[in-house]
Amino acid sequence: MVHLSGTDRPTLPPRAASAVDAPHDHLLVRGAAAEYADQLTRAVAQVAARFERVDRPTSGATQAELERLVAGVDLDRPVGLDDALRELDEVYLEHAVWFHDPGYAAHLNCPVALPALAAEVVASAVNTSVDTWDQSTVATLVEQRLVRWTADLVGLGPDADGVFTSGGTQSNLQALLVAREHAAHRLTGAAYEPELAAQLAVLATAETHFSIVKAARLLGLGSGAVRLVATGADGRMDPASLSRELGALARDGVHPMAVVATAGTTDRGCIDPLAEVAALTRAHGAWLHVDAAYGCGLLVSPTRRHLLDGIEHADSVTVDFHKSFFQPVASSAVLVRRGEDLRHVTFHADYLNPREAVVPNQVDKSLQTTRRFDALKLWLTLRASGAQALGELFDEVVDRAGEVHRRLRRDPDFEVLAPGSLSTVLFRFRPAGLPEAVADELNPAVRQALLEEGRVLVATTKVDGRPWLKLTLLNPQVTLADLDAVVEAVRRSARQHLAARAPEAVAV
Ligand SMILES: *Cc1c(COP(=O)(O)O)cnc(C)c1O
């Protein structure tokens, strides 16, 4: 499976420009425009040639094979761009995991919008760092326009602000940091100090993304700071349970630093009842953070925007454009209702953003300093294709998930979990009579076997301690027939596993 023969090497166009040899010939400097265009064209041709041949989500090479492949590259002996690109094709592209392939249905990875890829080229060539005005000028304004545009979609009001981040994990961390400072000022009139940790709690459900618990730890809150609110059978936060937990905290003299609602959850795509949660949160003087890393695509959906009703009450919101807005990694933002709350991440340095500065410095609002101009990708996507197109694409995958769910429900070989609101389907191979314990062992084994074959990639997760398989759909090109093929691959593999087991299990 590891091809190093060179027989299927893509052919690159003949070199036009002069050979590159002097050290500074490797830099994009004055006089290098033609060389820049030539090298980038070669890289793009290489990717396009590979893309045309990709017919499975991954090669299925083992970890040991890949380790040998990477270790075999001599980093101290440069070979020139053409050979380096050919080598890259064999080492990386041949074995990469391709999210656009119809056999890929594992995690929250999307095929990417072409205008966004064009923007990547632009942003990386200019190499803008969106930290201070003097390093970014108009790029700061572009990012601010997009933050405003997104805040308006959410409905956060005129004082909202935010910043692009590296992902939902960072957005959640920053939101909880701001919530912590907000709580500290409320309780003590001053910034957070570690002594306060015992007096603060974060309320979330067991379905909440793990980055929330991680953020709480990074923020110095105790291990018990995240209190779990129960979910209903539909996987959504139960408002009655939230009310009870808030009441219990009040009795214990613990301040609810933040309530985290998810729209929707990573596994089941469940959207917590945002309006009810917001009302309870407000009544207890807590901060409402809505993690819409996955569900943010609904903001531009022509038919499903109502599923996010209530999100406009949030104090902070996480959106991952690199999930349901079809943007390349990384593209995420954290938004806050009151822009002034971002001052909690503002620190000044004389060499960068002095206190007396009168220009907008995005570094004042970010956990990062040097920061990619990721906003440009969304900008070019909106200008080239528009938000409605993105919303329609997300709608398509949500529709498709519903169709697959209905098919699986009628299939006697599978159990299927009640559908969420987004584009995941949780199912497991368990024909009538197959003992639960056997199914528990079988389903993860099927997933592993499929990964080793490399033709169909699904995910696994646990629900109430039992393993389930998960399809995550984010590719609108994937048809119901493609997904039938994925399900058939699971069935075939499961039956093979069963046949290899003890006779009493084979009878099913
Ligand atoms: C994916 C996800 C995150 C984490 O986002 P990253 O961009 O992977 O850091 C957070 N919350 C939810 C609900 C998610 O689905």
Side-chain angles (χ1 to χ4, degrees):
M1 272 171 212
V2 179
H3 299 299
L4 277 175
S5 67
T7 50
D8 58 354
R9 284 178 174 180
T11 45
L12 296 172
R15 274 190 94 73
S18 59
V20 173
D21 39 34
H24 59 237
D25 285 349
H26 298 282
L27 295 177
L28 180 49
V29 290
R30 189 171 283 192
E35 190 59 38
Y36 162 73
D38 183 57
Q39 295 203 11
L40 268 273
T41 306
R42 278 158 196 283
V44 170
Q46 175 97 45
V47 176
R50 167 59 65 178
F51 210 84
E52 212 148 67
R53 287 182 296 144
V54 167
D55 61 356
R56 52 201 293 176
T58 193
S59 71
T62 65
Q63 183 179 333
E65 285 170 317
L66 295 179
E67 280 168 359
R68 271 199 299 281
L69 199 57
V70 172
V73 174
D74 184 352
L75 292 177
D76 297 313
R77 207 169 48 84
V79 293
L81 183 70
D82 282 353
D83 281 347
L85 279 174
R86 270 187 219 103
E87 178 185 83
L88 200 65
D89 187 69
E90 292 158 3
V91 171
Y92 174 43
L93 299 184
E94 165 83 20
H95 303 288
V97 180
W98 295 95
F99 303 144
H100 73 284
D101 188 90
Y104 185 82
H107 300 287
L108 278 167
N109 309 108
C110 54
V112 289
L114 286 165
L117 291 180
E120 287 269 23
V121 174
V122 177
S124 60
V126 182
N127 200 29
T128 294
S129 173
V130 206
D131 52 304
T132 52
W133 172 261
D134 69 342
Q135 297 174 78
S136 58
T137 60
V138 67
T140 283
L141 302 180
V142 166
E143 173 166 328
Q144 288 181 342
R145 268 294 296 280
L146 288 167
V147 165
R148 181 73 258 160
W149 180 84
T150 312
D152 286 342
L153 285 178
V154 175
L156 288 181
D159 300 329
D161 199 357
V163 71
F164 273 66
T165 71
S166 61
T169 301
Q170 192 188 345
S171 295
N172 284 342
L173 173 62
Q174 183 165 352
L176 288 191
L177 168 64
V178 171
R180 186 193 71 179
E181 292 306 314
H182 188 82
H185 279 84
R186 207 182 135 119
L187 296 180
T188 68
Y192 173 81
E193 293 293 343
E195 305 83 76
L196 266 185
Q199 289 175 54
L200 300 178
V202 173
L203 295 167
T205 74
E207 310 287 319
T208 305
H209 194 264
F210 79 103
S211 57
I212 292 293
V213 177
K214 194 171 177 176
R217 290 297 279 176
L218 288 170
L219 291 172
L221 304 177
S223 55
V226 179
R227 311 275 180 111
L228 288 189
V229 178
T231 52
D234 58 2
R236 304 165 75 217
M237 184 183 283
D238 172 29
S241 171
L242 175 61
S243 179
R244 272 196 306 279
E245 294 298 330
L246 285 165
L249 288 180
R251 279 193 301 281
D252 295 350
V254 176
H255 181 67
M257 179 189 111
V259 173
V260 178
T262 308
T265 57
T266 312
D267 264 348
R268 293 174 65 181
C270 297
I271 299 174
D272 289 333
L274 302 175
E276 285 170 88
V277 169
L280 286 164
T281 303
R282 182 172 303 162
H284 283 82
W287 180 280
L288 175 61
H289 176 63
V290 176
D291 179 359
Y294 178 12
C296 59
L298 298 178
L299 290 170
V300 289
S301 156
T303 63
R304 292 182 169 88
R305 172 60 181 83
H306 63 275
L307 294 174
L308 293 178
D309 282 355
I311 195 173
E312 66 279 8
H313 301 304
D315 295 294
S316 56
V317 177
T318 288
V319 289
D320 261 2
F321 299 114
H322 62 218
K323 284 176 181 164
S324 47
F325 272 70
F326 304 96
Q327 296 296 295
V329 175
S331 184
S332 174
V334 60
L335 307 170
V336 293
R337 162 177 301 286
R338 290 163 298 273
E340 67 190 52
D341 285 328
L342 292 176
R343 74 184 183 285
H344 296 307
V345 299
T346 309
F347 293 81
H348 294 285
D350 291 335
Y351 49 79
L352 198 68
N353 58 339
R355 200 173 289 280
E356 61 276 14
V358 291
V359 288
N361 288 322
Q362 292 293 86
V363 70
D364 295 351
K365 306 174 186 173
S366 177
L367 299 183
Q368 293 168 258
T369 306
T370 303
R371 189 163 54 88
R372 286 171 51 90
F373 185 21
D374 285 316
L376 190 65
K377 295 180 281 194
L378 180 60
W379 179 272
L380 207 60
T381 305
L382 295 182
R383 296 305 298 132
S385 333
Q388 166 134 357
L390 296 175
E392 285 169 1
L393 292 173
F394 191 49
D395 261 5
E396 273 189 56
V397 294
V398 178
D399 286 342
R400 199 84 69 251
E403 290 157 12
V404 174
H405 188 272
R406 281 190 287 282
R407 287 205 179 192
L408 281 169
R409 211 168 43 200
R410 288 195 301 265
D411 192 322
D413 278 348
F414 293 100
E415 290 178 334
V416 58
L417 210 66
S421 299
L422 300 179
S423 61
T424 59
V425 181
L426 270 70
F427 69 115
R428 52 194 240 136
F429 180 82
R430 193 180 171 213
L434 189 72
E436 184 104 62
V438 178
D440 286 352
E441 205 185 299
L442 196 64
N443 282 281
V446 164
R447 186 252 179 183
Q448 183 56 30
L450 293 174
L451 177 63
E452 283 163 21
E453 285 170 25
R455 297 200 175 275
V456 162
L457 300 193
V458 301
T460 46
T461 189
K462 282 189 177 163
V463 178
D464 297 332
R466 307 214 97 100
W468 286 70
L469 300 175
K470 177 168 80 162
L471 304 178
T472 304
L473 311 184
L474 274 184
N475 183 354
Q477 190 188 39
V478 169
T479 63
L480 204 48
D482 293 324
L483 293 166
D484 280 346
V486 169
V487 170
E488 286 320 306
V490 170
R491 192 194 321 270
R492 177 182 39 77
S493 177
R495 292 212 166 276
Q496 278 167 5
H497 273 82
L498 264 189
R501 290 180 59 93
E504 67 273 11
V506 184
V508 177

mmCIF file with all atom_site columns, all heavy atoms in Angstrom, residues 199-216:
data_model
loop_
_atom_site.group_PDB
_atom_site.id
_atom_site.type_symbol
_atom_site.label_atom_id
_atom_site.label_alt_id
_atom_site.label_comp_id
_atom_site.label_asym_id
_atom_site.label_entity_id
_atom_site.label_seq_id
_atom_site.pdbx_PDB_ins_code
_atom_site.Cartn_x
_atom_site.Cartn_y
_atom_site.Cartn_z
_atom_site.occupancy
_atom_site.B_iso_or_equiv
_atom_site.pdbx_formal_charge
_atom_site.auth_seq_id
_atom_site.auth_comp_id
_atom_site.auth_asym_id
_atom_site.auth_atom_id
_atom_site.pdbx_PDB_model_num
ATOM 1   N N   . GLN A 1 199 ? -15.488 29.289 44.687 1.00 0.00 ? 199 GLN A N   1
ATOM 2   C CA  . GLN A 1 199 ? -16.806 29.948 44.681 1.00 0.00 ? 199 GLN A CA  1
ATOM 3   C C   . GLN A 1 199 ? -17.448 29.996 43.308 1.00 0.00 ? 199 GLN A C   1
ATOM 4   O O   . GLN A 1 199 ? -18.501 30.599 43.137 1.00 0.00 ? 199 GLN A O   1
ATOM 5   C CB  . GLN A 1 199 ? -16.657 31.388 45.178 1.00 0.00 ? 199 GLN A CB  1
ATOM 6   C CG  . GLN A 1 199 ? -16.353 31.504 46.649 1.00 0.00 ? 199 GLN A CG  1
ATOM 7   C CD  . GLN A 1 199 ? -16.116 32.961 47.005 1.00 0.00 ? 199 GLN A CD  1
ATOM 8   O OE1 . GLN A 1 199 ? -16.935 33.836 46.745 1.00 0.00 ? 199 GLN A OE1 1
ATOM 9   N NE2 . GLN A 1 199 ? -14.952 33.234 47.585 1.00 0.00 ? 199 GLN A NE2 1
ATOM 10  N N   . LEU A 1 200 ? -16.765 29.413 42.320 1.00 0.00 ? 200 LEU A N   1
ATOM 11  C CA  . LEU A 1 200 ? -17.277 29.516 40.948 1.00 0.00 ? 200 LEU A CA  1
ATOM 12  C C   . LEU A 1 200 ? -17.590 28.143 40.358 1.00 0.00 ? 200 LEU A C   1
ATOM 13  O O   . LEU A 1 200 ? -16.860 27.178 40.591 1.00 0.00 ? 200 LEU A O   1
ATOM 14  C CB  . LEU A 1 200 ? -16.236 30.207 40.051 1.00 0.00 ? 200 LEU A CB  1
ATOM 15  C CG  . LEU A 1 200 ? -15.839 31.632 40.444 1.00 0.00 ? 200 LEU A CG  1
ATOM 16  C CD1 . LEU A 1 200 ? -14.764 32.155 39.493 1.00 0.00 ? 200 LEU A CD1 1
ATOM 17  C CD2 . LEU A 1 200 ? -17.053 32.567 40.445 1.00 0.00 ? 200 LEU A CD2 1
ATOM 18  N N   . ALA A 1 201 ? -18.674 28.091 39.599 1.00 0.00 ? 201 ALA A N   1
ATOM 19  C CA  . ALA A 1 201 ? -19.026 26.837 38.918 1.00 0.00 ? 201 ALA A CA  1
ATOM 20  C C   . ALA A 1 201 ? -19.463 27.127 37.488 1.00 0.00 ? 201 ALA A C   1
ATOM 21  O O   . ALA A 1 201 ? -19.954 28.218 37.181 1.00 0.00 ? 201 ALA A O   1
ATOM 22  C CB  . ALA A 1 201 ? -20.149 26.126 39.667 1.00 0.00 ? 201 ALA A CB  1
ATOM 23  N N   . VAL A 1 202 ? -19.248 26.139 36.639 1.00 0.00 ? 202 VAL A N   1
ATOM 24  C CA  . VAL A 1 202 ? -19.700 26.195 35.248 1.00 0.00 ? 202 VAL A CA  1
ATOM 25  C C   . VAL A 1 202 ? -20.724 25.081 35.085 1.00 0.00 ? 202 VAL A C   1
ATOM 26  O O   . VAL A 1 202 ? -20.488 23.949 35.517 1.00 0.00 ? 202 VAL A O   1
ATOM 27  C CB  . VAL A 1 202 ? -18.516 25.973 34.282 1.00 0.00 ? 202 VAL A CB  1
ATOM 28  C CG1 . VAL A 1 202 ? -19.002 25.866 32.841 1.00 0.00 ? 202 VAL A CG1 1
ATOM 29  C CG2 . VAL A 1 202 ? -17.487 27.085 34.436 1.00 0.00 ? 202 VAL A CG2 1
ATOM 30  N N   . LEU A 1 203 ? -21.850 25.394 34.500 1.00 0.00 ? 203 LEU A N   1
ATOM 31  C CA  . LEU A 1 203 ? -22.897 24.389 34.314 1.00 0.00 ? 203 LEU A CA  1
ATOM 32  C C   . LEU A 1 203 ? -22.968 23.973 32.853 1.00 0.00 ? 203 LEU A C   1
ATOM 33  O O   . LEU A 1 203 ? -23.038 24.822 31.955 1.00 0.00 ? 203 LEU A O   1
ATOM 34  C CB  . LEU A 1 203 ? -24.241 24.950 34.759 1.00 0.00 ? 203 LEU A CB  1
ATOM 35  C CG  . LEU A 1 203 ? -24.321 25.251 36.260 1.00 0.00 ? 203 LEU A CG  1
ATOM 36  C CD1 . LEU A 1 203 ? -25.539 26.097 36.580 1.00 0.00 ? 203 LEU A CD1 1
ATOM 37  C CD2 . LEU A 1 203 ? -24.361 23.953 37.042 1.00 0.00 ? 203 LEU A CD2 1
ATOM 38  N N   . ALA A 1 204 ? -22.935 22.673 32.641 1.00 0.00 ? 204 ALA A N   1
ATOM 39  C CA  . ALA A 1 204 ? -22.956 22.144 31.268 1.00 0.00 ? 204 ALA A CA  1
ATOM 40  C C   . ALA A 1 204 ? -23.511 20.732 31.323 1.00 0.00 ? 204 ALA A C   1
ATOM 41  O O   . ALA A 1 204 ? -23.666 20.171 32.403 1.00 0.00 ? 204 ALA A O   1
ATOM 42  C CB  . ALA A 1 204 ? -21.541 22.138 30.695 1.00 0.00 ? 204 ALA A CB  1
ATOM 43  N N   . THR A 1 205 ? -23.797 20.158 30.168 1.00 0.00 ? 205 THR A N   1
ATOM 44  C CA  . THR A 1 205 ? -24.281 18.777 30.162 1.00 0.00 ? 205 THR A CA  1
ATOM 45  C C   . THR A 1 205 ? -23.132 17.830 29.832 1.00 0.00 ? 205 THR A C   1
ATOM 46  O O   . THR A 1 205 ? -22.056 18.258 29.404 1.00 0.00 ? 205 THR A O   1
ATOM 47  C CB  . THR A 1 205 ? -25.396 18.555 29.114 1.00 0.00 ? 205 THR A CB  1
ATOM 48  O OG1 . THR A 1 205 ? -24.800 18.529 27.813 1.00 0.00 ? 205 THR A OG1 1
ATOM 49  C CG2 . THR A 1 205 ? -26.452 19.641 29.180 1.00 0.00 ? 205 THR A CG2 1
ATOM 50  N N   . ALA A 1 206 ? -23.395 16.550 29.987 1.00 0.00 ? 206 ALA A N   1
ATOM 51  C CA  . ALA A 1 206 ? -22.373 15.547 29.662 1.00 0.00 ? 206 ALA A CA  1
ATOM 52  C C   . ALA A 1 206 ? -22.090 15.519 28.158 1.00 0.00 ? 206 ALA A C   1
ATOM 53  O O   . ALA A 1 206 ? -21.072 14.991 27.729 1.00 0.00 ? 206 ALA A O   1
ATOM 54  C CB  . ALA A 1 206 ? -22.823 14.166 30.141 1.00 0.00 ? 206 ALA A CB  1
ATOM 55  N N   . GLU A 1 207 ? -22.983 16.097 27.369 1.00 0.00 ? 207 GLU A N   1
ATOM 56  C CA  . GLU A 1 207 ? -22.796 16.136 25.911 1.00 0.00 ? 207 GLU A CA  1
ATOM 57  C C   . GLU A 1 207 ? -21.916 17.308 25.481 1.00 0.00 ? 207 GLU A C   1
ATOM 58  O O   . GLU A 1 207 ? -21.566 17.429 24.312 1.00 0.00 ? 207 GLU A O   1
ATOM 59  C CB  . GLU A 1 207 ? -24.149 16.278 25.192 1.00 0.00 ? 207 GLU A CB  1
ATOM 60  C CG  . GLU A 1 207 ? -25.212 15.296 25.627 1.00 0.00 ? 207 GLU A CG  1
ATOM 61  C CD  . GLU A 1 207 ? -24.940 13.901 25.118 1.00 0.00 ? 207 GLU A CD  1
ATOM 62  O OE1 . GLU A 1 207 ? -24.528 13.772 23.957 1.00 0.00 ? 207 GLU A OE1 1
ATOM 63  O OE2 . GLU A 1 207 ? -25.110 12.943 25.900 1.00 0.00 ? 207 GLU A OE2 1
ATOM 64  N N   . THR A 1 208 ? -21.612 18.194 26.421 1.00 0.00 ? 208 THR A N   1
ATOM 65  C CA  . THR A 1 208 ? -20.817 19.378 26.107 1.00 0.00 ? 208 THR A CA  1
ATOM 66  C C   . THR A 1 208 ? -19.439 18.980 25.603 1.00 0.00 ? 208 THR A C   1
ATOM 67  O O   . THR A 1 208 ? -18.871 17.990 26.045 1.00 0.00 ? 208 THR A O   1
ATOM 68  C CB  . THR A 1 208 ? -20.673 20.231 27.386 1.00 0.00 ? 208 THR A CB  1
ATOM 69  O OG1 . THR A 1 208 ? -21.983 20.513 27.873 1.00 0.00 ? 208 THR A OG1 1
ATOM 70  C CG2 . THR A 1 208 ? -19.962 21.540 27.120 1.00 0.00 ? 208 THR A CG2 1
ATOM 71  N N   . HIS A 1 209 ? -18.894 19.761 24.682 1.00 0.00 ? 209 HIS A N   1
ATOM 72  C CA  . HIS A 1 209 ? -17.572 19.456 24.131 1.00 0.00 ? 209 HIS A CA  1
ATOM 73  C C   . HIS A 1 209 ? -16.514 19.458 25.231 1.00 0.00 ? 209 HIS A C   1
ATOM 74  O O   . HIS A 1 209 ? -16.555 20.296 26.136 1.00 0.00 ? 209 HIS A O   1
ATOM 75  C CB  . HIS A 1 209 ? -17.205 20.497 23.070 1.00 0.00 ? 209 HIS A CB  1
ATOM 76  C CG  . HIS A 1 209 ? -16.042 20.094 22.223 1.00 0.00 ? 209 HIS A CG  1
ATOM 77  N ND1 . HIS A 1 209 ? -14.757 20.506 22.479 1.00 0.00 ? 209 HIS A ND1 1
ATOM 78  C CD2 . HIS A 1 209 ? -15.986 19.295 21.129 1.00 0.00 ? 209 HIS A CD2 1
ATOM 79  C CE1 . HIS A 1 209 ? -13.948 19.984 21.563 1.00 0.00 ? 209 HIS A CE1 1
ATOM 80  N NE2 . HIS A 1 209 ? -14.662 19.260 20.734 1.00 0.00 ? 209 HIS A NE2 1
ATOM 81  N N   . PHE A 1 210 ? -15.552 18.551 25.128 1.00 0.00 ? 210 PHE A N   1
ATOM 82  C CA  . PHE A 1 210 ? -14.575 18.401 26.210 1.00 0.00 ? 210 PHE A CA  1
ATOM 83  C C   . PHE A 1 210 ? -13.704 19.640 26.403 1.00 0.00 ? 210 PHE A C   1
ATOM 84  O O   . PHE A 1 210 ? -13.077 19.811 27.448 1.00 0.00 ? 210 PHE A O   1
ATOM 85  C CB  . PHE A 1 210 ? -13.727 17.146 25.989 1.00 0.00 ? 210 PHE A CB  1
ATOM 86  C CG  . PHE A 1 210 ? -12.617 17.296 24.989 1.00 0.00 ? 210 PHE A CG  1
ATOM 87  C CD1 . PHE A 1 210 ? -11.314 17.439 25.401 1.00 0.00 ? 210 PHE A CD1 1
ATOM 88  C CD2 . PHE A 1 210 ? -12.886 17.302 23.633 1.00 0.00 ? 210 PHE A CD2 1
ATOM 89  C CE1 . PHE A 1 210 ? -10.277 17.573 24.482 1.00 0.00 ? 210 PHE A CE1 1
ATOM 90  C CE2 . PHE A 1 210 ? -11.866 17.441 22.699 1.00 0.00 ? 210 PHE A CE2 1
ATOM 91  C CZ  . PHE A 1 210 ? -10.563 17.579 23.130 1.00 0.00 ? 210 PHE A CZ  1
ATOM 92  N N   . SER A 1 211 ? -13.679 20.511 25.397 1.00 0.00 ? 211 SER A N   1
ATOM 93  C CA  . SER A 1 211 ? -12.859 21.723 25.530 1.00 0.00 ? 211 SER A CA  1
ATOM 94  C C   . SER A 1 211 ? -13.379 22.643 26.635 1.00 0.00 ? 211 SER A C   1
ATOM 95  O O   . SER A 1 211 ? -12.639 23.508 27.124 1.00 0.00 ? 211 SER A O   1
ATOM 96  C CB  . SER A 1 211 ? -12.785 22.472 24.202 1.00 0.00 ? 211 SER A CB  1
ATOM 97  O OG  . SER A 1 211 ? -14.068 22.798 23.731 1.00 0.00 ? 211 SER A OG  1
ATOM 98  N N   . ILE A 1 212 ? -14.632 22.477 27.031 1.00 0.00 ? 212 ILE A N   1
ATOM 99  C CA  . ILE A 1 212 ? -15.176 23.300 28.121 1.00 0.00 ? 212 ILE A CA  1
ATOM 100 C C   . ILE A 1 212 ? -14.544 22.880 29.457 1.00 0.00 ? 212 ILE A C   1
ATOM 101 O O   . ILE A 1 212 ? -14.111 23.725 30.251 1.00 0.00 ? 212 ILE A O   1
ATOM 102 C CB  . ILE A 1 212 ? -16.716 23.170 28.169 1.00 0.00 ? 212 ILE A CB  1
ATOM 103 C CG1 . ILE A 1 212 ? -17.335 23.820 26.919 1.00 0.00 ? 212 ILE A CG1 1
ATOM 104 C CG2 . ILE A 1 212 ? -17.288 23.773 29.455 1.00 0.00 ? 212 ILE A CG2 1
ATOM 105 C CD1 . ILE A 1 212 ? -17.192 25.332 26.828 1.00 0.00 ? 212 ILE A CD1 1
ATOM 106 N N   . VAL A 1 213 ? -14.467 21.586 29.674 1.00 0.00 ? 213 VAL A N   1
ATOM 107 C CA  . VAL A 1 213 ? -13.842 21.091 30.910 1.00 0.00 ? 213 VAL A CA  1
ATOM 108 C C   . VAL A 1 213 ? -12.352 21.456 30.915 1.00 0.00 ? 213 VAL A C   1
ATOM 109 O O   . VAL A 1 213 ? -11.793 21.889 31.925 1.00 0.00 ? 213 VAL A O   1
ATOM 110 C CB  . VAL A 1 213 ? -14.023 19.559 31.025 1.00 0.00 ? 213 VAL A CB  1
ATOM 111 C CG1 . VAL A 1 213 ? -13.315 19.029 32.263 1.00 0.00 ? 213 VAL A CG1 1
ATOM 112 C CG2 . VAL A 1 213 ? -15.505 19.219 31.078 1.00 0.00 ? 213 VAL A CG2 1
ATOM 113 N N   . LYS A 1 214 ? -11.741 21.311 29.746 1.00 0.00 ? 214 LYS A N   1
ATOM 114 C CA  . LYS A 1 214 ? -10.323 21.655 29.613 1.00 0.00 ? 214 LYS A CA  1
ATOM 115 C C   . LYS A 1 214 ? -10.118 23.141 29.919 1.00 0.00 ? 214 LYS A C   1
ATOM 116 O O   . LYS A 1 214 ? -9.174  23.522 30.640 1.00 0.00 ? 214 LYS A O   1
ATOM 117 C CB  . LYS A 1 214 ? -9.924  21.352 28.172 1.00 0.00 ? 214 LYS A CB  1
ATOM 118 C CG  . LYS A 1 214 ? -8.469  21.310 27.871 1.00 0.00 ? 214 LYS A CG  1
ATOM 119 C CD  . LYS A 1 214 ? -8.349  20.774 26.427 1.00 0.00 ? 214 LYS A CD  1
ATOM 120 C CE  . LYS A 1 214 ? -6.959  20.724 25.919 1.00 0.00 ? 214 LYS A CE  1
ATOM 121 N NZ  . LYS A 1 214 ? -6.926  20.107 24.574 1.00 0.00 ? 214 LYS A NZ  1
ATOM 122 N N   . ALA A 1 215 ? -10.992 23.983 29.382 1.00 0.00 ? 215 ALA A N   1
ATOM 123 C CA  . ALA A 1 215 ? -10.877 25.427 29.612 1.00 0.00 ? 215 ALA A CA  1
ATOM 124 C C   . ALA A 1 215 ? -11.004 25.739 31.103 1.00 0.00 ? 215 ALA A C   1
ATOM 125 O O   . ALA A 1 215 ? -10.247 26.548 31.652 1.00 0.00 ? 215 ALA A O   1
ATOM 126 C CB  . ALA A 1 215 ? -11.941 26.177 28.805 1.00 0.00 ? 215 ALA A CB  1
ATOM 127 N N   . ALA A 1 216 ? -11.965 25.077 31.756 1.00 0.00 ? 216 ALA A N   1
ATOM 128 C CA  . ALA A 1 216 ? -12.164 25.331 33.188 1.00 0.00 ? 216 ALA A CA  1
ATOM 129 C C   . ALA A 1 216 ? -10.883 25.015 33.952 1.00 0.00 ? 216 ALA A C   1
ATOM 130 O O   . ALA A 1 216 ? -10.476 25.757 34.857 1.00 0.00 ? 216 ALA A O   1
ATOM 131 C CB  . ALA A 1 216 ? -13.334 24.501 33.709 1.00 0.00 ? 216 ALA A CB  1
#
